[in-house]
Amino acid sequence: MRSILNTSKNIHFIGIGGIGISAIARMMLADGKKVSGSDASGSEIIDSLKKLGAEIKIGHNTENLPKDTDLVIYTVAISKENPEFIEAGKRKIKMLTYAEALHEISKDKFTIAVSGTHGKTTTTAMIAKVLIDAGLDPTVIVGSLIKSDEKSGFATNFIAGRSKYFVVEACEYKRSFLNIEPTIVAITNIDNDHLDYYKDIKDIQSAFNKFAKKAPEKGFVICNIKDKNISGATAGISAKIVNWADFKADKLRLKVPGEHNKKDASVALAVAHLLGIDKKKAEKSLEGFVGTWRRFEYKGETKSGVIVYEDYAHHPTEIKATLKGAREMFPKQKIVVVFQPHLFSRTKLLLRDFGKAFSDADEILLAPIYPAREAFDPTISSEILAEEINKNKKTAQSFTSFEDIEKELINKLKKGDILITMGAGEAYKIGEEIIK
């Protein structure tokens, strides 16, 4: 049975600048489809899609939807009041969410779906590189941009492969990964997150359990069976369970720092083993992995010699892991973190954990909370978070604007200091301005 993605010729994307949905747009452009789209604001991703031939409008308007559109793919982040969404409904155009589009792609592929609360982006990119270097020519969709190196030569969230293999990052938010049809399910870890949607850790485990059960009897579920949060999500699985902790990456000379990246590499080695890839070749591939966009990404140096990094970490576990890796790299240098909390609900529910997450930083500057999809909540703020961090004998200060943070940094930072901008929002702009 042919996929609707194959039969559609003119596809419109609502929210085309999103890191996941833009990968589908790239895929459709590579397949020779006519691609149009819209987003609330411009970005580098949108500029790159335009260069590939997509017609993109900034802002959402009924007129943005071309007359010959036969499929609409949209991000669940848009409101159901979106005029293009409403217009598509009136015209009875077939519509798919981003996750439903992944279903269409994965159902006819040997799909390696990488899930987990933390590390899934890096792990997906690592697996992709191993398969590419082994000549398996996979199709890849990842929730970031895979950074290029001299050998691979790519920096994209989509790689068009010609083999049966499909490597995809599988997001648990709103159980969207249940749309994917996996042959191999990889679970990096399970932690408290997206608590604006999930009730508690047991609810999160139930979602991962349903996802793992989707792996067929002849398929595999790769996880750390000794992890108590994961062990609660493995009941009733028909596929063979493979423990990624058995695939040691401790001796690898990775270019990306931190114990968390070694764990991600262990998952990639487990996948390589299942696909019959030579271990030494897989290890060599991983040692050449240079990371992904916004994952402890080196941004440059200021004129005064301050070294600037950017990281997407927005959960306490991720922050702690990233800063531990940074401290390993820079044991004696001053590390200053600019953190923008992401979501009122996450900041409020995990406040104590956030307070303990910055132990490897010397100073923490907090931007106002990035609300994303949420309404303003006056019961939580960056000021409250600063107080919580300071309880743990750290130096944290909250600011009301990016401009105030930039002024503080200019006065504070000296040659050789390390600046890390951190968060899922727009804190990276501060680092870019400081470098300028």
Side-chain angles (χ1 to χ4, degrees):
M1 188 171 136
R2 297 191 73 194
S3 165
I4 190 173
L5 296 178
N6 294 328
T7 57
S8 300
K9 297 180 179 180
N10 304 292
I11 306 176
H12 184 75
F13 292 80
I14 307 175
I16 196 169
I19 194 64
I21 198 169
S22 62
I24 305 288
R26 288 180 189 273
M27 186 177 194
M28 295 301 99
L29 286 164
D31 285 346
K33 311 290 186 182
K34 182 180 177 182
V35 170
S36 61
S38 63
D39 212 301
S41 59
S43 66
E44 291 181 15
I45 289 174
I46 285 175
D47 290 342
S48 67
L49 287 172
K50 285 181 176 179
K51 289 178 182 178
L52 293 173
E55 296 182 8
I56 302 173
K57 304 291 185 182
I58 301 303
H60 298 293
N61 198 298
T62 302
E63 287 73 29
N64 292 345
L65 196 63
K67 292 181 180 179
D68 56 0
T69 301
D70 50 14
L71 176 63
V72 168
I73 298 176
Y74 65 96
T75 170
V76 293
I78 67 163
S79 165
K80 293 300 187 287
E81 301 302 316
N82 182 288
E84 294 164 39
F85 182 87
I86 293 172
E87 178 66 14
K90 287 180 180 177
R91 285 159 55 176
K92 297 182 179 179
I93 299 171
K94 177 67 177 177
M95 289 190 279
L96 297 175
T97 64
Y98 164 67
E100 289 168 343
L102 289 182
H103 168 81
E104 294 295 315
I105 298 165
S106 64
K107 66 182 182 181
D108 297 322
K109 292 277 191 179
F110 185 109
T111 298
I112 302 160
V114 183
S115 65
T117 310
H118 318 296
K120 54 184 174 286
T121 296
T122 297
T123 306
T124 304
M126 283 180 169
I127 293 169
K129 187 177 189 303
V130 170
L131 267 65
I132 290 167
D133 291 349
L136 296 185
D137 197 17
T139 297
V140 181
I141 290 179
V142 63
S144 181
L145 301 180
I146 301 175
K147 290 164 62 177
S148 61
D149 57 24
E150 292 179 1
K151 185 174 182 180
S152 62
F154 54 75
T156 180
N157 54 352
F158 168 71
I159 299 167
R162 289 167 291 183
S163 74
K164 66 180 180 178
Y165 295 107
F166 177 40
V167 182
V168 60
E169 181 174 335
C171 180
E172 74 275 15
Y173 184 57
K174 292 189 176 181
R175 292 179 167 82
S176 63
F177 56 5
L178 297 182
N179 288 278
I180 297 171
E181 300 299 330
T183 310
I184 295 176
V185 168
I187 304 174
T188 58
N189 46 60
I190 298 175
D191 199 355
N192 266 320
D193 198 13
H194 300 303
L195 295 174
D196 58 324
Y197 173 76
Y198 289 106
K199 297 175 183 177
D200 50 30
I201 190 68
K202 288 186 178 180
D203 195 21
I204 298 170
Q205 288 172 325
S206 72
F208 276 92
N209 181 247
K210 285 183 180 179
F211 183 51
K213 284 180 177 178
K214 296 197 74 173
E217 189 174 348
K218 293 184 179 180
F220 301 90
V221 173
I222 301 172
C223 61
N224 182 356
I225 57 176
K226 293 183 180 180
D227 185 316
K228 64 178 182 179
N229 284 347
I230 289 178
S231 63
T234 56
I237 294 172
S238 58
K240 182 179 178 180
I241 296 176
V242 175
N243 189 359
W244 59 251
D246 292 338
F247 295 82
K248 304 295 183 183
D250 297 346
K251 295 182 181 180
L252 295 186
R253 295 181 179 179
L254 298 178
K255 293 181 179 179
V256 286
E259 187 65 28
H260 60 299
N261 283 313
K262 290 181 180 179
K263 291 178 180 178
D264 296 342
S266 293
V267 180
L269 288 175
V271 172
H273 172 76
L274 295 177
L275 298 183
I277 298 171
D278 180 77
K279 182 183 177 182
K280 289 185 178 179
K281 288 183 178 179
E283 290 176 339
K284 183 179 179 182
S285 176
L286 289 169
E287 289 183 335
F289 178 74
V290 293
T292 61
W293 177 62
R294 298 188 71 185
R295 268 68 177 181
F296 202 67
E297 180 183 7
Y298 173 73
K299 301 295 288 186
E301 286 191 26
T302 67
K303 292 178 181 179
S304 61
V306 176
I307 303 167
V308 181
Y309 284 85
E310 153 66 9
D311 196 88
Y312 193 71
H314 52 282
H315 184 282
T317 302
E318 296 165 349
I319 293 167
K320 197 170 186 65
T322 297
L323 292 179
K324 185 178 180 182
R327 184 53 73 192
E328 289 173 8
M329 280 185 71
F330 306 106
K332 297 181 180 180
Q333 284 156 280
K334 182 179 180 181
I335 296 178
V336 176
V337 174
V338 172
F339 178 60
Q340 183 182 32
H342 187 258
L343 299 180
F344 294 105
S345 60
R346 180 184 285 123
T347 309
K348 188 174 182 177
L349 291 165
L350 301 177
L351 182 62
R352 288 188 178 181
D353 293 331
F354 275 115
K356 299 173 183 176
F358 296 88
S359 57
D360 282 302
D362 294 297
E363 293 187 42
I364 305 97
L365 284 64
L366 300 175
I369 294 173
Y370 188 77
R373 54 186 175 265
E374 293 184 336
F376 176 72
D377 182 352
T379 65
I380 187 66
S381 66
S382 290
E383 290 84 356
I384 294 171
L385 177 56
E387 292 173 6
E388 190 66 31
I389 295 171
N390 290 331
K391 288 178 184 178
N392 293 281
K393 298 181 180 179
K394 303 305 297 184
T395 302
Q397 185 178 357
S398 63
F399 294 81
T400 57
S401 70
F402 281 11
E403 290 78 10
D404 288 344
I405 293 175
E406 289 164 20
K407 290 177 184 177
E408 181 73 11
L409 290 172
I410 290 169
N411 294 327
K412 184 183 296 290
L413 295 172
K414 297 179 181 179
K415 184 177 181 179
D417 288 349
I418 310 300
L419 171 64
I420 305 174
T421 59
M422 190 172 282
E426 299 176 332
Y428 67 91
K429 294 180 180 179
I430 295 172
E432 292 176 350
E433 286 299 318
I434 292 294
I435 291 171
K436 287 179 184 179

